[in-house]
Amino acid sequence: MSGQQLMREIGRSGVVASAVGLGTWAIGGWMWGGTDEAESIAAIQASLDAGVTLIDTAPAYGLGRSEEIVGKALKGRRDKAVIATKCGLVWHTDKGKHFFDQDRKPVHRYLGRDAILYEVEESLRRLRTDHIDLYITHWQDPTTPIEETMRALEELKAAGKIRAIGASNVSAAELETYISVGGLDAIQERFSMVDREIEADLLPLTRPNGISTLSYSSLALGLLSGTVGPDRAFSGDDQRRDNPRFSISNREKAMAFAAAIGPVAGKHGASVAQIVIAWTLAQPGVTFALCGARNPAQALDNARAGTIRLDPDDHSAIDAAIATKLTAMDR
């Protein structure tokens, strides 16, 4: 059954967004073999036209490149979008803990107040906006107390520069600290049919505390889309090129899974990827599903998932296919 675009509130913030969100990591180009700016802008605008209001980005996606593209795409349409971006991966200072190098620049995990106040201004400039709807700590910083980080974020919220607060890539202990400090509206974590660890440690904490969960890599970097077969080649700095998850064997299993849920997709007049996203949004505690798109066709395909409502028979068929086709997938 299909309906209107599914909309949900981010925690208890009062900010409402489409349950399907557009993830823009690939749009930044880094680790995805480059980017086409015109196609990326068209993808963002096609998402908005299809009712997808949640646009997720981060400074680290191409050292500001993704945010800049999002800002260009939303020119004259800012009121149609709910922007989520992040802080905590910095290259303007060597404070914190070194994480990786990008374009020969060292990137550190640092969530001190000084960096957060600097970063938010940079993001607002790149995004061409005066406020960020959901501001997320991208990766956690072991050198800064969470209490200091949250005080800085609450300061930005009081000033009207951000509307809701999130944390990403957290441990259960870190999440418990965020909850004890108060004010957390959302977490953003990897979750998919083949990455379900948060069901055991994080979701039992978020659900009773009214904290939303944004899943990223909902299609497992495209592996579960039904379009990445064993003959697919990855080039350049595409992270999937040397990723064991994308072994020939795993891609064969993923295609077998896609064939197994083909009847469910046919019943809804949907693609395999749309069914996977709809399943993700139906999981207890998962509020939003972030899905990457690099062109309008991909964006529209993802958006359609937000209108699909799976029934109990669909879930039974999908869960059986997961159990028989995906559980043996190599890691």
Side-chain angles (χ1 to χ4, degrees):
M1 183 174 73
S2 298
Q4 298 296 313
Q5 194 67 239
L6 183 62
M7 308 293 288
R8 289 174 171 169
E9 183 179 4
I10 299 174
R12 295 167 177 159
S13 67
V15 180
V16 176
S18 58
V20 171
L22 174 64
T24 66
W25 181 9
I27 281 174
W30 175 60
M31 296 183 72
W32 287 91
T35 190
D36 182 313
E37 182 173 308
E39 280 279 87
S40 298
I41 289 173
I44 295 166
Q45 294 176 342
S47 295
L48 292 177
D49 290 340
V52 170
T53 62
L54 180 59
I55 311 296
D56 179 81
T57 185
Y61 299 164
L63 298 181
R65 184 66 173 146
S66 176
E67 285 188 327
E68 289 172 349
I69 291 174
V70 170
K72 290 179 182 180
L74 296 184
K75 183 178 180 180
R77 307 181 71 175
R78 173 65 182 90
D79 62 327
K80 305 296 184 184
V82 174
I83 298 176
T85 194
K86 305 176 186 73
C87 60
L89 294 187
V90 299
W91 57 93
H92 72 281
T93 177
D94 60 1
K95 293 181 180 179
K97 186 176 181 64
H98 180 262
F99 197 22
F100 57 80
D101 290 346
Q102 184 178 162
D103 293 343
R104 300 182 179 178
K105 293 182 179 180
V107 177
H108 288 243
R109 291 159 59 180
Y110 181 56
L111 286 165
R113 178 181 180 275
D114 57 324
I116 289 174
L117 298 187
Y118 172 85
E119 280 201 89
V120 75
E121 297 299 335
E122 290 294 288
S123 288
L124 290 170
R125 176 183 59 80
R126 288 189 290 256
L127 291 164
R128 306 183 183 192
T129 186
D130 62 357
H131 71 279
I132 292 162
D133 298 292
L134 175 60
Y135 204 39
I136 304 166
T137 57
H138 199 161
W139 283 86
Q140 302 311 302
D141 165 24
T143 73
T144 303
I146 288 173
E147 291 83 356
E148 175 185 337
T149 298
M150 282 297 289
R151 283 196 298 270
L153 294 171
E154 291 283 9
E155 183 180 336
L156 293 179
K157 190 173 181 181
K161 294 189 176 183
I162 67 175
R163 299 177 65 200
I165 297 170
S168 186
N169 301 302
V170 294
S171 67
E174 288 164 340
L175 179 54
E176 287 175 337
T177 303
Y178 272 107
I179 291 170
S180 70
V181 175
L184 190 70
D185 297 297
I187 62 169
Q188 185 177 133
E189 301 293 330
R190 185 175 71 169
F191 178 82
S192 72
M193 292 174 170
V194 293
D195 298 295
R196 303 179 66 170
E197 292 82 1
I198 67 170
E199 291 178 328
D201 57 1
L202 299 184
L203 297 186
L205 294 171
T206 58
R207 294 172 66 186
N209 286 286
I211 297 170
S212 291
T213 297
L214 290 74
S215 76
Y216 69 78
S217 290
S218 304
L219 294 171
L221 302 178
L223 182 63
L224 301 177
S225 66
T227 61
V228 182
D231 296 330
R232 175 76 173 271
F234 303 106
S235 61
D237 69 347
D238 192 316
Q239 62 182 304
R240 296 170 292 183
R241 186 179 63 177
D242 299 315
N243 188 337
R245 172 63 64 80
F246 283 82
S247 67
I248 298 295
S249 174
N250 279 356
R251 281 184 270 166
E252 289 173 343
K253 292 169 185 173
M255 294 304 289
F257 165 78
I261 68 167
V264 177
K267 170 182 168 181
H268 290 273
S271 67
V272 167
Q274 289 165 351
I275 296 301
V276 171
I277 297 167
W279 175 92
T280 302
L281 290 172
Q283 300 313 295
V286 178
T287 324
F288 301 91
L290 301 175
C291 309
R294 305 182 72 174
N295 58 58
Q298 293 173 352
L300 292 174
D301 194 71
N302 292 341
R304 167 82 166 82
T307 70
I308 296 171
R309 310 290 186 262
L310 300 174
D311 62 33
D313 289 341
D314 297 330
H315 281 287
S316 294
I318 294 167
D319 290 343
I322 292 171
T324 58
K325 308 299 181 183
L326 298 182
T327 54
M329 189 171 280
D330 303 323
R331 297 285 173 157

